Amino acid sequence: MSKKKIAIQGIRGSFHDIASHQYFEGEDIALQCCDTFEQVAKSVIEGDEDLGLMAIENTIAGSLLHNYEILLASGAKVVGEHKLHIRHSIMCRPDEDWDTLTEVNSHPVALAQCRHYLERHPRLKVVEAYDTAGSAERIARRGLKGHAAICHADAARIYGLKVLEDGIEDNKHNFTRFLVLAPAQEAERLSPFEQSNKAMLVFRLSHMEGSLSQVLSIFTFYHINLTKIQSLPIIGNEWHYLFYVDVTYTEPMRFLQSVEAVRPLTQELTILGTYVGK
C-alpha cells in the first residue's frame, strides 16, 4: 500500500509536521514539505492523492487571515481539523551551553510567544527567521556556534541538537487549529456528509442594514451553532466583506436546510467543507 501524501508548510520538526503525525496517527504518511501555504494548496489541487494540512488560527496570535483567502481561491475542501498544543523549546549544538550562547533564532510568532522567557536572558540577541524548525536545521547544518533555536522539542531529536529547556512559552494555553484539506472530488469519500457534525462556509452579503443579523437568526432557528465568524474585506469593493463561518450541528440534513434558507439572503455562498469536528 502506498503512503498517504500530506503537503505541509515547513520542514521536518515543524508544528505542521507534528500536527500531521498526530492527526494521521498510526498511518503511513509521506510529507511533502512546502515553503508557502500557496504551495500547500496547489499540491492538494494538482496532486493525485495529496492531502494538505494548513494552520488557520492560534489562540494567542488569532486567525491567519491570508489562509482563508488561499482556501477559498484554491477550491480545496476541508475534510478534518486538528488542534495542537503549542510547546516551545530552546535548543543548541550538543557541545554548547548557556555560557557560550549569544544569539537565539526563530519565527517572529514563536519569539513573541516566549517574550517573557527571553527577557530573563538579556544577553541573547533575538534574531527573526523564516521558520521555527528551519532555525534548528540551519544551526545543525552550518554548525553555527553561539546560536540557539526556539521550536518544538522534536526538532532537537531530528537535527541532533540539545534541548536546554522545554515549555518556555509564556502562555501554557497556546493552541493552533489546523485544517485538513483535500481535492473537491475526494472530499465526500474522505469525509462522508452524513457523518459530519461541523462545517465551514463563506458568504457575501449586500451592504444593507441587518443583513448579517438576519442570516445569524436563521442559523439559530435551525439549531446550528456558530463557533467562529471571521470577516475579510473584498479587495476593490470598499466596505463589503466576506464572512467565513464555522458551525456545528447534530443533524446534517438540518444544516443543509439552514444553508438553503440563508442562500437567498446572500450574494454568494460556498460550503468550504463538512467533516467530523474534534
Side-chain angles (χ1 to χ4, degrees), residues 67-263:
N67 285 4
Y68 283 95
E69 297 173 332
I70 293 172
L71 174 60
L72 178 60
S74 71
K77 295 296 183 182
V78 181
V79 295
E81 67 178 5
H82 183 68
K83 296 167 185 173
L84 177 67
H85 185 203
I86 303 298
R87 286 178 59 88
H88 293 299
S89 299
I90 186 166
M91 60 194 66
C92 63
R93 288 168 30 140
D95 59 338
E96 295 205 90
D97 217 317
W98 284 110
D99 58 349
T100 63
L101 297 179
T102 60
E103 184 175 308
V104 58
N105 313 133
S106 193
H107 189 278
V109 172
L111 293 171
Q113 292 175 352
C114 302
R115 180 171 58 87
H116 296 314
Y117 179 85
L118 292 173
E119 287 175 350
R120 298 197 294 271
H121 299 277
R123 64 187 297 267
L124 290 180
K125 179 183 178 182
V126 177
V127 178
E128 295 182 354
Y130 72 96
D131 190 29
T132 53
S135 299
E137 187 274 338
R138 179 172 170 269
I139 290 173
R141 175 170 47 83
R142 296 189 180 183
L144 296 178
K145 294 184 178 181
H147 287 244
I150 290 179
C151 51
H152 193 279
D154 277 11
R157 172 182 55 80
I158 293 170
Y159 300 112
L161 300 182
K162 175 176 67 176
V163 173
L164 294 170
E165 192 170 347
D166 191 18
I168 67 171
E169 64 278 359
D170 297 335
N171 192 315
K172 305 305 178 184
H173 300 281
N174 185 6
F175 289 83
T176 293
R177 176 174 165 242
F178 297 83
L179 301 179
V180 183
L181 308 181
Q185 65 271 19
E186 293 292 320
E188 176 61 24
R189 179 181 66 83
L190 295 169
S191 180
F193 173 70
E194 64 273 11
Q195 298 176 15
S196 68
N197 63 6
K198 191 168 186 177
M200 186 176 184
L201 56 154
V202 58
F203 52 82
R204 179 164 61 95
L205 299 174
S206 59
H207 195 48
M208 295 177 57
E209 181 179 344
S211 58
L212 179 59
S213 62
Q214 288 180 328
V215 169
L216 300 184
S217 295
I218 290 176
F219 283 132
T220 300
F221 175 79
Y222 281 91
H223 303 291
I224 306 301
N225 181 38
L226 273 71
T227 59
K228 182 181 172 81
I229 182 167
Q230 178 70 57
S231 64
L232 286 179
I234 301 174
I235 305 302
N237 198 347
E238 293 80 5
W239 317 121
H240 288 254
Y241 299 87
L242 287 174
F243 294 91
Y244 293 82
V245 176
D246 289 304
V247 300
T248 60
Y249 46 85
T250 56
E251 300 178 37
M253 292 309 298
R254 195 170 182 85
F255 162 68
L256 279 188
Q257 291 171 352
S258 74
V259 170
E260 292 310 308
V262 162
R263 196 179 294 277

